[in-house]
Every structure is written in C-alpha cells, then in structure tokens.
Amino acid sequence: MDETRCREIWERVRRMSSAGELEVTLAAGRSALTRFANNIIHQNVEEETAMLSVRAVIGRRTARATTNRFEEESLRRVVATAEALARVQAEDPDLLPLAEPAVYQDVNRFDAPTAEATPQFRAEQVRRAVDVAERSGLTAAGIYSTGDSVEAILNSRGLVAYHAQTRAEASITMMAPDSSGWAKANAVRAVEVDLERLAARAAGKAVASRAPLDLAPGPYTVVLEPAAVLDLIGFLVWDFSATAIRDQRSFLTERLGTQVFGPNITISDDAYHPLQAGAPFDGEGVPRQPVLLVENGVARNITYSRQAAQTAGVAPTGHGFPLPNEMGEAPLNIVVSGGEDSVEKMIASTERGILVTRLWYIREVDPYEKILTGMTRDGTFLIEDGQIRQGLRNFRFNQSMIELLNQVEMLGLSTRTAGEEAFEMVVPPLKARAFHFTEVTKF
C-alpha cells in the first residue's frame, strides 16, 4: 500500500461518490509475533490487514463507513453507506469544510530490515533471552513482534497525507517461585530492541526480589522507574484537550494557566522528537505542531482539533481524531523533560523508600484530582540507607497525580519507554516523597 496505490484507490472511490465533500482514510500493515513461555517458543503468527474508511460530508452532516475489502462492489457499498448515514444525521452547526492541503515535515520512521524480519530472526533473538533465563534458573515468557504499517488521508480538497513506519517490540517476564522481573522496549528499528539486555534486566529483578518481605503499607519515598512513570502519566494526557475542557471532564477545568505541578515538571507533545514514532499529521490530515503543555509546573497549553480551534478562535495544533468522534483531540507524542540523576543516584540518596519497576491494573478513582489506584508488579524493592535491601511483596496504591508531581525531588534521563497501561512516551525515572501505598498483596 504505497502512496501510488493509495491515490489509485482514492480516485476509484471519488468517482463513485455524489457527496459534497469526501475524505478517505487508508491503513494497512503487516504484523508478525513470536510468543514464548516456559522457556520455549510456542506460537508464531503473522497478519496482514488493510482498511478503507470513507467519510461523506453532505451540507452540515457527516458520517463514516469502513471496509476491509477493495473490489469494486465493496467500494461502491462503503461509499453508498457513508452517504446514506450522512443524510440521516442531525446537522452539526460546528462542522467545518474538509482540511486543505498541507506540507508535512519529513520523518523517517521506516526501516527495511525491520519490515523484512523473518520468524528465524525473531526466534534467534528469543533464544538469547531464554539462555539468560536458563543460566539464572528462571522461567521466561513474553513476546517479540516486528511489523510495518502505512496510513494515508486523502480528500476532495486535494489533501494527500501519507506515512509509513516500522515497529519492533519485546516484552519479557522472568519468573521464580516467589518473585518475578519484567522488561519491555519498542522502537522503529529492530536493532534498537536488545532482547538479551532486556532479559538480563528482567532476570536481575526476579533474582533480587526472591523471598519478598512483607512491609506495612503507608506513605513512602518512591523511586519510580520509567515504565511506572509512563503508566501514571498516561492518565493525564487525555485531559490536555480543548474538547475535554469544554465538556468539563478534564482535571484542567479552571486550572489552565495555573501552577498544577512542581516547578521541576515540564511536559511537551512533540511528534518530531527523535525518540518518538507516528505520523506527522492528525486524523484529518492537519500537520502536528509541537505543544508545550506544562512549563515548570504551570499548565500552559492544550491541544486543539480543527473544530475546537474554530470555536476558540485559535489555530489547530494537529491533534484531532478522525471525524466524527466524541473525544475531539489529545496529545499522543508525550515528552516529559528529565534531569541528570540516575536511578542509582536516587537510590543512594534515599534513607528509606521503595523502588518500583512497574505498575499495572491502574484505574482512575477521581478524574478531577487525578487519583489513581493500582498495584506494583515484577520488581518492588525496599531501599534502606541508600541501598537496595530486599524484595517486597507488591502493594496496592491510591495516589493523586497532582500531589505526586508536586513532590518530585529528582529526575533522571528521559528515554523512550513502553508499558502496559499507556502508549509509548519519552519519560524519565523519578524520585518523589510520600507515595501512598494502601495494602500489601499476596505476591
């Protein structure tokens, strides 16, 4: 599905339409996955997908229909469906004409060796991870995936937006009878995902946390590794949205322009950061703009779709989702500015605290104070007198993100980070005081 093929499909669809305006979104890709457990590969699968979504605009009415079939009859059917649905919609007084053609900043996020990775290549990488597990007397489980994808948006005003990229991802869990360790990474290029290194890190966590200690819950100084930071920050980003503030479902309602976090917290959205991935345009084909969301703890800016920007009398930031939708917009290329303190330095500076590898099963308790609950997992450790003393049984926590980000004492180097509860971001490890652990779990 190269750009020429996308243009050919667009021309076929355009000729079939009688709508006033027409927009086509195309997405295609190939994803291959090697899964392993009990120190052996037990599954290898590969999937190729392609999708065509047609949005018709008739007056101030719009609707969308989608298909994964590209023969002539299916194309006619999806166009007719989109137009029929549009005609029965209520008029949207805020609906804008389709986006105009734009110039996009070049981002090279396609790597041929990653796109061409074979099952044999993935198996060899997994073998190296399993070797680490066996040398450590542990049981390894996880995944290693590679793939490539394209997305394109074309419309009747002449807009053509096209992006191709590759992706490699590995997640490894090491299990001992009473402990576990975990590591995960993804990148545009497979060569940047080192399974042996990830396996060594996960194995080290599992070995060091054997015979875990029960520690009474309460407020503790914490050192949060990047994966833990990522999955917490993920609950904030959807609130930096003009539509969310309009609907009063954002914690920034009546807080924009105020000091919400500590002065050492700066958060941006930047699709062009060298550690980021994704397209340089949003769901309508508007170029993505870097946005300074939080500057030294002050909530400075939010993101705007075209529709939200028109209402506010400002320029769109290129963060809108495909229309029609209820979410409006959100920043999806988060960069949290870090510092120069390593995790080791954070540990060394802590008299008594807890090191957290990652969090899971996180849920929002209070959307306006951003109180989250969840559990630690796969490597929770007691810090005493500047050293890791022992593994701990995992905790449940209840913690306000506003409070947490006002209590950060140290920040490390920001890195591209993958977790389980949020999309990938560039975030640092951090040390903060008085993190609220409420209950000890059984493992």
Side-chain angles (χ1 to χ4, degrees), residues 268-404:
S268 302
D269 183 87
D270 186 359
Y272 310 103
H273 189 283
L275 297 180
Q276 283 288 357
F281 50 85
D282 72 3
E284 289 190 87
V286 178
R288 293 191 182 276
Q289 305 298 322
V291 179
L292 179 61
L293 303 171
V294 177
E295 182 181 28
N296 299 327
V298 177
R300 291 292 187 196
N301 299 292
I302 55 177
T303 56
Y304 292 89
S305 62
R306 294 177 64 238
Q307 202 168 60
Q310 176 76 8
T311 301
V314 299
T317 61
H319 293 84
F321 297 120
L323 292 176
N325 73 79
E326 296 178 351
M327 295 296 293
E329 60 284 311
L332 299 179
N333 296 98
I334 295 295
V335 179
V336 180
S337 297
E340 299 179 353
D341 296 317
S342 65
V343 169
E344 291 74 20
K345 186 175 180 180
M346 295 177 196
I347 292 169
S349 70
T350 302
E351 182 177 349
R352 183 174 171 83
I354 295 173
L355 171 67
V356 177
T357 298
R358 74 169 178 127
L359 304 168
W360 74 299
Y361 206 60
I362 305 172
R363 297 294 181 267
E364 193 171 68
V365 176
D366 184 327
Y368 300 108
E369 295 303 318
K370 298 317 272 190
I371 297 174
L372 308 178
T373 187
M375 288 178 272
T376 67
R377 184 173 182 174
D378 297 323
T380 305
F381 298 92
L382 174 64
I383 304 169
E384 283 187 331
D385 300 323
Q387 296 183 27
I388 297 292
R389 290 298 184 190
Q390 189 173 357
L392 296 173
R393 292 196 186 277
N394 288 303
F395 289 99
R396 175 171 288 281
F397 67 88
N398 271 48
Q399 178 63 50
S400 162
M401 283 298 294
I402 297 174
E403 180 184 78
L404 173 67

Side-chain angles (χ1 to χ4, degrees), residues 104-375:
Y104 305 106
Q105 184 172 328
D106 182 42
V107 290
N108 180 15
R109 289 170 177 165
F110 188 90
D111 178 61
T114 302
E116 296 162 5
T118 64
Q120 290 77 18
F121 169 79
R122 290 190 299 278
E124 176 59 26
Q125 304 308 307
V126 171
R127 183 191 63 78
R128 295 176 182 177
V130 169
D131 285 349
V132 172
E134 292 180 340
R135 289 196 300 267
S136 305
L138 300 170
T139 302
I143 61 97
Y144 182 39
S145 66
T146 55
D148 59 287
S149 62
V150 301
E151 56 184 300
I153 302 172
L154 304 95
N155 73 27
S156 52
R157 290 182 173 259
L159 182 146
V160 178
Y162 179 87
H163 176 72
Q165 76 171 33
T166 50
R167 175 185 175 95
E169 180 170 278
S171 176
I172 301 172
T173 300
M174 295 285 188
M175 296 293 297
D178 61 357
S179 64
S180 62
W182 171 90
K184 184 176 183 178
N186 69 38
V188 168
R189 297 164 183 83
V191 69
E192 297 173 10
V193 179
D194 187 336
L195 269 73
E196 188 171 7
R197 182 181 62 83
L198 292 173
R201 182 180 173 202
K205 299 274 189 182
V207 170
S209 58
R210 282 173 168 159
L213 175 72
D214 278 322
L215 188 67
Y220 288 90
T221 294
V222 289
V223 176
L224 301 179
E225 294 195 354
V229 175
L230 165 80
D231 284 336
L232 293 173
I233 293 290
F235 282 83
L236 294 179
V237 299
W238 304 99
D239 293 42
F240 286 88
S241 155
T243 302
I245 291 176
R246 180 202 67 188
D247 295 344
Q248 297 188 343
R249 51 184 169 85
S250 167
F251 84 98
L252 292 172
T253 303
E254 299 183 359
R255 285 181 169 135
L256 198 58
T258 69
Q259 188 88 33
V260 290
F261 305 136
N264 54 355
I265 303 301
T266 294
I267 304 173
S268 302
D269 183 87
D270 186 359
Y272 310 103
H273 189 283
L275 297 180
Q276 283 288 357
F281 50 85
D282 72 3
E284 289 190 87
V286 178
R288 293 191 182 276
Q289 305 298 322
V291 179
L292 179 61
L293 303 171
V294 177
E295 182 181 28
N296 299 327
V298 177
R300 291 292 187 196
N301 299 292
I302 55 177
T303 56
Y304 292 89
S305 62
R306 294 177 64 238
Q307 202 168 60
Q310 176 76 8
T311 301
V314 299
T317 61
H319 293 84
F321 297 120
L323 292 176
N325 73 79
E326 296 178 351
M327 295 296 293
E329 60 284 311
L332 299 179
N333 296 98
I334 295 295
V335 179
V336 180
S337 297
E340 299 179 353
D341 296 317
S342 65
V343 169
E344 291 74 20
K345 186 175 180 180
M346 295 177 196
I347 292 169
S349 70
T350 302
E351 182 177 349
R352 183 174 171 83
I354 295 173
L355 171 67
V356 177
T357 298
R358 74 169 178 127
L359 304 168
W360 74 299
Y361 206 60
I362 305 172
R363 297 294 181 267
E364 193 171 68
V365 176
D366 184 327
Y368 300 108
E369 295 303 318
K370 298 317 272 190
I371 297 174
L372 308 178
T373 187
M375 288 178 272

Side-chain angles (χ1 to χ4, degrees), residues 43-66:
Q43 186 181 52
N44 183 76
V45 294
E46 184 171 323
E47 178 184 34
E48 291 188 7
T49 60
M51 178 276 292
L52 166 69
S53 186
V54 176
R55 179 162 79 98
V57 180
I58 300 174
R60 289 192 174 273
R61 298 177 170 89
T62 189
R64 182 181 295 276
T66 302

